[in-house]
Amino acid sequence: MTWSRGNMADGEEPEKKRRRVEELAEKMAVDSGHGGNARDWDGRWNHVQKFLERPGPFTHPDFEPSTESLHFLLETCKILVIGAGGLGCELLKNLALTGFRQIHVIDMDTIDVSNLNRQFLFRSKDVGRPKADVAADFINRRIPGCNVVPYFKKIQDFDESFYRQFHIIVCGLDSIIARRWMNGMLMSLLIYEDGVLDPSSIIPLIDGGTEGFKGNARVILPGMTACIDCTLELYPPQINFPMCTIASMPRLPEHCIEYVRVLQWPKEKPFGEDVPLDGDNPEHIKWVFQKSQERASEFNITGVTYRLTQGVVKRIIPAVASTNAVIAAACATEVFKIASSAYVPLNNYLVFNDVDGLYTYTFEAERKENCTACSQVPQDLKFAPSATLQDILEYLTENASLQMKSPAITATIDGKNRTLYLQTVASIEERTRPNLCKTLKELGLTDGQELAVADVTTPQTMLFKLHFTS
């Protein structure tokens, strides 16, 4: 079949043109024997076999060429892709075309019109549908033999048994919090026998991230190489505002917006019970904007705009399609290396930057001996007895090595387990808020006291040991 202007009517609507092109492409696949129920055809995997069935100058020292490697890729290897957005769409396409057929994908978001300029697995008719479902349908329809299983859920909705079934996990996320939670989950799956790590319990994590014209890809072998939390300083710290400040003495327009987002929204429930704040809903943003203006006027603060409101609520990160494509290609290559054992994987961090020209380099990020996620060592907190609980809260959220979002602090005092502060439940937050202004001595905390801190950045509770300074 040849292409010509005769294949497409003049003046045809763009959406009709697109559908016609897809129909013609599918017809071409069927005509050539590649459609229908056909899974493979002669020469389909020639490009992959060249890497798996013969030695080469760049192969892994322990690699033995065989035909079994391809069978493992096609029929056995189970890959979990987390995120079906800009990076996730590229990852799913790359992995499916490479030969991975057992692919699962998790995404909690639905498709928005703004996604269509770079998330190419989606069409205008898909707006409002779950990203994971649409992406899986598209890949399964277009790539014979591929079986993508979607989950329209949060990663926190699954337990350890779910994650244990996968050989490799690939993250295409725009959230540091979700990355850290996934990192913590894989750490919790590790098995140690007499202090020695069991290699069979390791599930490699390939992580990709993009922001504008910058990106990175990394390979994490839990328990062996640097994890996400080991290198948390490499990520830009989240912007947090002290609760006492936004509740009592706001000074910036952002303080007013955060007050409405964190305290006023859950209290007033403007759109009904259990309706979360949606940064993509214009009515929600409009309500937050108006309430923020009212609070700003009470304290003679200027600068609250609709755009700033949306930026604070959504934590907006710019996205560029070409950066997603480059990073996804790097991540998919690392998945292939690890699954096939044919080549030495990345060791262990790749940085990409094409803001001014094109620049990329790799380096080995090193493990931290006192990493909160992978060291299994309680962290030290050094404060004077006169310091307040607010000081500890600010340290947990602002320290570059911790970067917690909404830490819940508990301690055993006089034999009883006490919640010192909990932000995520409105009624408990209101009851424990006065503790923020109390000193550690007034709270009954002592030198050597252990504090248990839970946060959305990890599925595990972290232990800290309090050391009083003079």
Side-chain angles (χ1 to χ4, degrees):
M1 182 179 293
T2 58
W3 290 95
S4 70
R5 287 188 60 84
N7 293 120
M8 203 170 287
D10 291 334
E12 200 171 20
E13 293 294 327
E15 184 64 20
K16 290 182 179 179
K17 287 183 179 181
R18 181 194 59 75
R19 286 199 299 268
R20 183 171 174 79
V21 169
E22 286 189 355
E23 290 170 2
L24 287 169
E26 290 176 4
K27 185 176 187 303
M28 290 172 67
V30 173
D31 289 346
S32 59
H34 300 175
N37 295 322
R39 286 169 61 86
D40 292 327
W41 53 88
D42 289 342
R44 180 179 183 185
W45 303 113
N46 281 350
H47 62 298
V48 178
Q49 289 172 312
K50 291 178 181 177
F51 296 102
L52 301 179
E53 297 180 7
R54 63 183 187 182
F58 302 108
T59 54
H60 193 285
D62 299 327
F63 174 66
E64 295 182 4
S66 71
T67 57
E68 296 177 359
S69 296
L70 179 60
H71 183 270
F72 174 76
L73 255 63
L74 296 178
E75 307 298 338
T76 306
C77 189
K78 292 182 74 172
I79 307 293
L80 175 63
V81 176
I82 302 177
L87 202 53
C89 284
E90 292 278 359
L91 283 167
L92 288 169
K93 176 260 294 179
N94 291 347
L95 294 171
L97 290 175
T98 300
F100 295 99
R101 285 171 162 166
Q102 305 302 319
I103 304 173
H104 295 236
V105 57
I106 301 175
D107 197 297
M108 59 178 284
D109 289 337
T110 55
I111 299 166
D112 185 73
V113 174
S114 63
N115 302 147
L116 302 182
N117 70 332
R118 64 193 181 282
Q119 298 175 23
F120 57 87
L121 299 183
F122 311 140
R123 302 292 183 265
S124 56
K125 63 182 175 60
D126 301 320
V127 171
R129 293 184 61 199
K131 288 183 177 181
D133 292 350
V134 176
D137 290 344
F138 193 104
I139 296 291
N140 291 338
R141 186 173 66 251
R142 294 292 291 272
I143 303 180
C146 195
N147 178 34
V148 180
V149 181
Y151 302 92
F152 178 43
K153 294 183 177 182
K154 299 178 181 179
I155 56 175
Q156 293 88 348
D157 293 338
F158 300 93
D159 59 14
E160 293 184 356
S161 61
F162 172 81
Y163 291 108
R164 275 201 178 96
Q165 67 180 302
F166 299 102
H167 293 94
I168 302 172
I169 294 178
V170 194
C171 284
L173 296 163
D174 57 5
S175 167
I176 302 298
I177 294 170
R179 278 189 181 90
R180 295 179 66 188
W181 190 93
M182 194 67 248
N183 180 74
M185 171 56 73
L186 295 184
M187 293 299 167
S188 70
L189 299 182
L190 297 177
I191 299 174
Y192 290 87
E193 296 181 1
D194 297 327
V196 180
L197 177 62
D198 180 0
S200 65
S201 66
I202 298 173
I203 300 177
L205 174 65
I206 314 298
D207 178 62
T210 65
E211 183 172 337
F213 292 99
K214 300 177 182 179
N216 68 80
R218 61 186 304 182
V219 174
I220 296 171
L221 303 178
M224 295 181 64
T225 64
C227 73
I228 295 289
D229 281 44
C230 284
T231 56
L232 203 56
E233 293 92 341
L234 297 176
Y235 296 97
Q238 61 185 15
I239 299 174
N240 289 298
F241 303 106
M243 187 59 63
C244 282
T245 299
I246 66 174
S248 306
M249 52 186 82
R251 299 184 301 275
L252 303 172
E254 290 85 352
H255 293 162
C256 301
I257 299 168
E258 280 289 280
Y259 176 85
V260 176
R261 184 183 74 85
V262 175
L263 299 176
Q264 216 165 333
W265 179 278
K267 184 178 180 180
E268 297 190 18
K269 304 177 178 64
F271 292 87
E273 194 76 30
D274 298 326
V275 177
L277 176 57
D278 183 358
D280 292 315
N281 188 320
E283 293 301 317
H284 289 195
I285 296 297
K286 183 179 179 181
W287 186 89
V288 175
F289 170 54
Q290 292 173 343
K291 293 295 181 180
S292 300
Q293 281 189 317
E294 293 173 8
R295 181 163 178 80
S297 64
E298 292 178 19
F299 292 88
N300 297 318
I301 297 172
T302 60
V304 175
T305 64
Y306 183 91
R307 185 173 182 178
L308 178 64
T309 302
Q310 191 171 39
V312 171
V313 171
K314 292 184 66 176
R315 307 293 202 261
I316 292 176
I317 300 174
V320 176
S322 58
T323 311
N324 287 332
V326 171
I327 297 303
C331 290
T333 300
E334 295 307 318
V335 174
F336 178 80
K337 289 180 184 178
I338 292 175
S340 66
S341 299
Y343 298 90
V344 178
L346 174 69
N347 185 28
N348 50 32
Y349 202 108
L350 176 146
V351 175
F352 172 81
N353 187 335
D354 64 346
V355 175
D356 297 308
L358 183 61
Y359 177 63
T360 182
Y361 71 98
T362 63
F363 66 92
E364 180 181 358
E366 297 182 357
R367 291 186 67 184
K368 284 178 63 175
E369 293 183 359
N370 62 339
C371 173
T372 55
C374 67
S375 70
Q376 301 179 325
V377 175
Q379 305 296 300
D380 289 335
L381 288 176
K382 296 181 179 180
F383 286 91
S386 58
T388 64
L389 189 63
Q390 177 72 56
D391 294 330
I392 289 183
L393 188 73
E394 290 178 6
Y395 175 81
L396 295 174
T397 55
E398 296 175 6
N399 184 277
S401 299
L402 299 173
Q403 295 189 37
M404 295 186 182
K405 181 177 172 62
S406 51
I409 307 173
T410 60
T412 300
I413 302 176
D414 297 330
K416 295 181 180 180
N417 190 40
R418 283 186 56 194
T419 299
L420 300 180
Y421 184 68
L422 178 65
Q423 182 177 330
T424 52
V425 180
S427 58
I428 300 179
E429 193 284 327
E430 186 175 355
R431 192 167 69 247
T432 58
R433 193 186 308 162
N435 288 341
L436 293 176
C437 298
K438 293 181 180 179
T439 67
L440 304 183
K441 186 176 182 180
E442 290 172 341
L443 290 169
L445 299 176
T446 59
D447 186 45
Q449 177 96 48
E450 282 197 350
L451 300 180
V453 181
D455 192 62
V456 293
T457 57
T458 176
Q460 301 173 316
T461 298
M462 288 173 281
L463 289 179
F464 291 82
K465 183 167 286 189
L466 186 61
H467 295 283
F468 283 162
T469 59
S470 56

